[in-house]
Structures are given as C-alpha cells and as structure tokens.
Amino acid sequence: MDSAALWSRFQQYLCRVPSIGLTLDISRMHFDQAFLDRMKPAIERAYDAMAKLEAGEIANPDEKRMVGHYWLRKPELAPDPEIGTEIRETVEHIRGFAEDIDRTGRFTDVLAIGIGGSALGPMFVSDALGKGEDDAMKIHFLDNTDPEGIARVLASLEGRLDKTLTIVTSKSGGTPETRNGMLLAAEAYKKAGLEFAHHAVAITMPDSKLDQQAESEGWLDRFPMFDWVGGRTSELSAVGLLPAALQGIDIDSMLHGAAACDEVTRNRDTMKNPAALLALMWYAATNGKGEKDMVVLPYKDRLLLFSRYLQQLVMESLGKQLDLEGKRVEQGLAVYGNKGSTDQHAYVQQLRDGVNNFFVVFIRVLESGGSALEVEPGATAGDYLHGFLLGTREALYSNGRQSMTITIERVDARTIGALIALLERAVGFYASLVGINAYHQPGVEAGKKAAAAVLSLQEQVRSAVTDSPQTAEQVAAAAGARDRVEDVYWILEHLAANGRAKRSGDAFSL
C-alpha cells in the first residue's frame, strides 16, 4: 500500500477517545471493511452480553456467580443497593486507613503478600505510578512460595520490620503460596522480637480462614474481597487500592479513569469503542482461534510490568478448553512483551525477520517526562524513544507484520485506571466473540489439585523412607504408589538436595 493510501486508511480507522486521552490505531492490522461488516452481528451479541453482565446476570455459570468488577468504579451499577453501599464503604475505609497510617508515621514500608491477581495488578500499578523516595511508603512484594526469594525480600527489610506494615491478600485464606509467605514473614517478625498481628492487615472474603485468623489474633484491620470479583480483575478493589493508597497513589483518579473508560466502551458505535475494536482485531489477527501471539511493546519504562499483568488477565480469561456449549475448542491468546526500546536489542529481530506468528500492540506515551536535555542538536532522549517506536512500527509493517498502536497522553493514575478497564473490557468482548466463559479458571484449579496430590504423596514418601538405602521403585512400593515412581523419584531428589534425606547413587535413605 502506498503512503497516500496508508494515510487514508489511518484516518479512516483511527479511534479517538478524548474523554480518556487515548487513541487506538488499527490501520496496520490485516482486515478490511468487509470483515467489520461481517462481524457486526457477533459484536452486537457481545454488547448484549456485557450489558447483561453489568446488570448482574450470572455470567460465570460454572460457579453460579455474578461478575461485577465494573461496579467497583461505578457502584450505582450494582444490581443490589447493598453491594453499592459495600463498595463505597470499602473505598472510604481504605482512604481513612491510609490517612491514619500517614498521619501517625508509625510505618515506613509495606510488605504485600499475595499471588496471581493479588500481586500482579498491585505490582504493575506500584511500578507505573510510584515516585521512588517521594512515595508515602516503600512497597515490597512476596508473590511466590520460593523460600530463597522470600528471604531476599525479608533481608531487604532487616532493621525496619518494626516500621513495616504487612498486607496479606487471599480470597479464601487457604492459598498455599500466600499462606507460606505469611508464615515466613511472621517468623521474621518473631525473630525480631515483634508481634506480627500488630503489623498485619488482611484482605480476604468475610468469614474466610484468614478473616477468622485476623480477627482472633487482633490484626490491625481487615478489608473485604468480594465473591463477584475474580483475582485477575481485582486491581480496582481493596486488593489493589489499599497498597496503592498506602504508597500515596491517587486511587480516586484510578477509579475515575476506569469509570470513564467503561462509559466509552459501552458505546455500540464500534468505531468509537476502543475495547470492541481491540477484541475485533484480536479475532482478525488470530482467526478467532488464538493462531498468533500478542506482543505488548510499551515505549515507557513505567509500563514495563504491563505485559506481565496482561498475561494473567488475558491468558487466564481466554485460555479455555471448552466453549459455552461444552465443545472442545482449546481457545486462548498468548501474551508476552517487555518494553521499547529494549526490545529492539532483544527479540524485535525475530519479529521483523523470523516466524510470523504474532501481532504487536505498541503503547505510545506522548509526554516524555524526565530531562529535556538535547542529546544531539534538536533531539532529546525522549525524541529517540519516540523515533524508535515509529521506526520499529514501520520496519514491521514493511515486512507484512501486523501491529496496532494505543496512544496515551501520559502515565498517571487516571490513565492507568483507563488502561486496566480497556483491557478488561476487550477480554470480555473477545470471549463473547469466540463463545467461551472468560470468568472461570478450571485449568488453574486443576493445577492446584495436582500440586496438592504431590504434597500428599510427599508425606507418604517421607513415611516410607528408612535408614536403609532404597531405590525410588522400592520407596514407591512401600508408600503404596507403584504407579507414581517418577513423582517419587523427583520428591526423593528434592528432599535429598535440601538435607531431609540422604542419597547414594540411585538409592535414598534417612
């Protein structure tokens, strides 16, 4: 396509959304007007499904739950006035708690313990909107059950645990990774001569195991998680708002940005609805079957963790074996990314010249920020960054590689709220287009059950190991697990490596 035709296509398909300071350019995706016309009935059904979801219809049939993360930024949408009141009261509770902590000056650091949606969203927002030394409190995360990783974080707080507030986030209170992090953190407080409960806050479902523990032990405070909000869409609930407020981030602006984006993406004029257009472009690029990966390239250091956050939001929502009718479809959309222009010195070479199994979502930020020093006559470091974005976009297009570009004015709390809402909405629309349930996670649950079975087997193995050397086959037989010899071998090897068993060749003993 020559430059004049490309410019005309750019103008025709540019989606401008002044109310949230965002534009979406889809002109360099491989679609035509006939595709958009053909998809009109499907996107209309997606609009209807989203409206029903927001009205409180059971949108997660497997778990018989409503899906109400959109109510978090507009409580009056909630189908039950009590839910709206609970949302407002929770936000007020968060504001008041953060103000009290700031006023007393008792704490200087926050240790946030969670996993999945209880960590990825808060980590992304913290990194995107943090001000470094000017933050009200410095925030640290435990988001895994890796004991060495936990030790590293706790070591960074040595000498400051007395001024560290710990937030434990778990919907059920039984999530193993979060529970383990909490136990090791509590041990560190105890070793420092401190009472963990006097430094601890819980974010959990009312009357969960964690809620009961926090109440019985006299923790500082408790904040609710809602049954109708999934982990990957919980950033604008207490899960994300509490750590952000403690860090000094403007949570009201985040909520306002998300609400404004929700309003825009209720528009049934598809060319004015950036979330619907994103979903349609995902469909066009992947043939509605996840045939290509989505590479997210934000040209801004503050958005480094955006792709990690989106991996859970998109892949956990869309990676489904069965459709809504129970047919095996194996749907999904793989997401990866880092940041520009770092990527130009990493995998852009393959994007440009290698296997064409992807499409790119560039994120362009108009305001450079930082120093305006001219590193060359007439050119700042920000000009170079912008030039690299446009250059990479053109290099990909010239070799038949698809991309679209989201442009925002700046990275601030309102814009981050809008971006979160934009992608949540796009996921919902795309799920409707391909006929899957975006709001459950049977694969995750299967993984949890398998892990629990391994830990149960480990107890059997430990009971079966004796002072006399035995092979994995012998231990498996003694443990009543002859059909799981390979797992028994892995467990024995792990125990031996950590000094909990002895190994001599292929034999193991106490």
Side-chain angles (χ1 to χ4, degrees):
M1 188 178 296
D2 63 31
S3 60
L6 190 55
W7 169 241
S8 176
R9 180 176 169 84
F10 171 80
Q11 292 177 298
Q12 179 181 0
Y13 292 114
L14 184 65
C15 177
R16 298 180 184 273
V17 194
S19 62
I20 55 174
L22 181 146
T23 64
L24 172 64
D25 164 37
I26 59 173
S27 63
R28 299 194 179 210
M29 297 294 288
H30 295 173
F31 73 98
D32 56 19
Q33 187 60 44
F35 167 78
L36 295 178
D37 293 340
R38 188 168 64 252
M39 294 297 291
K40 278 183 180 178
I43 198 65
E44 284 295 330
R45 290 193 294 272
Y47 292 142
D48 290 341
M50 185 68 74
K52 291 176 181 177
L53 178 147
E54 288 193 304
E57 183 178 273
I58 298 298
N60 187 348
D62 289 7
E63 299 174 4
K64 303 295 188 291
R65 290 178 181 173
M66 298 183 293
V67 175
H69 48 278
Y70 299 114
W71 311 333
L72 296 170
R73 47 262 200 176
K74 196 170 183 179
E76 55 268 34
L77 281 178
D80 184 336
E82 291 184 5
I83 292 176
T85 298
E86 190 173 18
I87 294 168
R88 294 186 190 93
E89 289 178 347
T90 299
V91 175
E92 285 299 320
H93 186 185
I94 290 167
R95 287 196 199 100
F97 183 81
E99 288 168 3
D100 287 345
I101 293 296
D102 185 57
R103 184 175 59 254
T104 63
R106 177 184 168 191
F107 297 110
T108 59
D109 293 77
V110 179
L111 177 63
I113 305 175
I115 195 164
S118 298
L120 290 168
M123 291 170 79
F124 160 56
V125 168
S126 172
D127 192 53
L129 299 176
K131 300 176 181 177
E133 294 302 319
D134 292 332
D135 284 339
M137 298 176 72
K138 187 176 181 181
I139 192 162
H140 316 262
F141 293 92
L142 296 183
D143 67 330
N144 202 357
T145 186
D146 176 3
E148 186 176 36
I150 293 170
R152 289 177 67 188
V153 174
L154 293 174
S156 72
L157 290 166
E158 190 172 352
R160 300 201 311 282
L161 272 181
D162 61 324
K163 291 186 171 295
T164 298
L165 175 72
T166 292
I167 303 172
V168 183
T169 304
S170 173
K171 198 166 193 176
S172 67
T175 308
E177 298 93 335
T178 303
R179 181 203 61 210
N180 295 350
M182 177 187 70
L183 292 174
L184 293 181
E187 179 189 43
Y189 277 95
K190 184 177 181 180
K191 287 181 177 178
L194 301 167
E195 185 68 40
F196 178 66
H198 297 165
H199 297 75
V201 172
I203 303 176
T204 188
M205 286 272 291
D207 206 36
S208 70
K209 291 179 183 178
L210 179 59
D211 189 55
Q212 293 173 11
Q213 178 182 353
E215 182 179 27
S216 66
E217 294 179 0
W219 288 22
L220 288 177
D221 216 330
R222 294 173 289 153
F223 296 83
M225 294 180 80
F226 303 120
D227 183 61
W228 36 266
V229 175
R232 56 190 174 278
T233 55
S234 65
E235 173 53 30
L236 297 178
S237 71
V239 170
L241 295 181
L242 179 59
L246 290 168
Q247 193 175 345
I249 292 168
D250 185 351
I251 62 172
D252 290 321
S253 288
M254 285 178 61
L255 290 168
H256 292 157
C261 186
D262 287 342
E263 189 63 36
V264 165
T265 54
R266 292 188 187 102
N267 192 339
R268 287 178 177 249
D269 182 345
T270 298
M271 294 313 300
K272 296 179 181 177
N273 186 325
L277 285 175
L278 274 173
L280 285 166
M281 292 303 100
W282 294 354
Y283 193 99
T286 71
N287 197 26
K289 298 177 181 178
E291 292 175 355
K292 290 184 183 288
D293 301 337
M294 180 166 71
V295 183
V296 181
L297 297 184
Y299 275 66
K300 197 69 175 175
D301 285 4
R302 286 187 176 275
L303 299 179
L304 169 65
L305 298 183
F306 193 40
S307 60
R308 285 186 62 194
Y309 164 73
L310 291 180
Q311 280 176 337
Q312 184 191 19
L313 175 63
V314 175
M315 296 174 73
E316 192 168 278
S317 297
L318 302 181
K320 301 295 161 65
Q321 184 178 81
L322 305 178
D323 66 11
L324 291 171
E325 297 178 353
K327 297 184 207 171
R328 190 181 184 101
V329 291
E330 294 183 345
Q331 274 286 358
L333 178 59
V335 180
Y336 66 94
N338 186 17
K339 66 178 181 180
S341 63
T342 298
D343 293 317
Q344 290 180 225
H345 299 271
Y347 51 73
V348 166
Q349 168 63 34
Q350 178 168 311
L351 299 186
R352 171 60 171 74
D353 293 345
V355 60
N356 190 358
N357 62 346
F358 67 93
F359 64 96
V360 171
V361 179
F362 289 105
I363 302 179
R364 174 174 172 250
V365 182
L366 292 178
E367 292 185 8
S368 298
S371 174
L373 174 72
E374 293 189 356
V375 294
E376 286 187 6
T380 67
D383 295 336
Y384 266 88
L385 186 65
H386 188 243
F388 287 140
L389 186 158
L390 295 184
T392 302
R393 178 172 171 268
E394 177 57 30
L396 294 177
Y397 176 75
S398 67
N399 205 29
R401 310 307 165 98
Q402 301 184 74
S403 73
M404 50 186 147
T405 302
I406 297 171
T407 297
I408 56 177
E409 294 174 359
R410 65 189 66 86
V411 176
D412 59 16
R414 191 173 191 276
T415 302
I416 291 298
L419 282 176
I420 289 170
L422 175 68
L423 272 297
E424 286 179 348
R425 209 81 168 184
V427 163
F429 286 140
Y430 184 81
S432 293
L433 292 179
V434 299
I436 59 170
N437 179 359
Y439 306 108
H440 68 163
Q441 48 283 330
V444 175
E445 299 307 319
K448 289 179 180 179
K449 290 177 182 177
V454 169
L455 289 167
S456 177
L457 176 61
Q458 179 172 300
E459 285 305 303
Q460 296 171 244
V461 168
R462 291 182 65 189
S463 297
V465 177
T466 67
D467 291 331
S468 302
Q470 298 171 285
T471 64
E473 290 92 339
Q474 291 171 323
V475 174
R482 291 179 184 274
D483 58 338
R484 301 189 65 185
V485 176
E486 185 177 338
D487 285 334
V488 170
Y489 174 81
W490 288 114
I491 290 169
L492 288 168
E493 191 174 50
H494 168 75
L495 293 173
N498 288 278
R500 296 155 72 193
K502 297 176 183 177
R503 179 175 187 175
S504 177
D506 289 328
F508 299 86
S509 62
L510 292 178

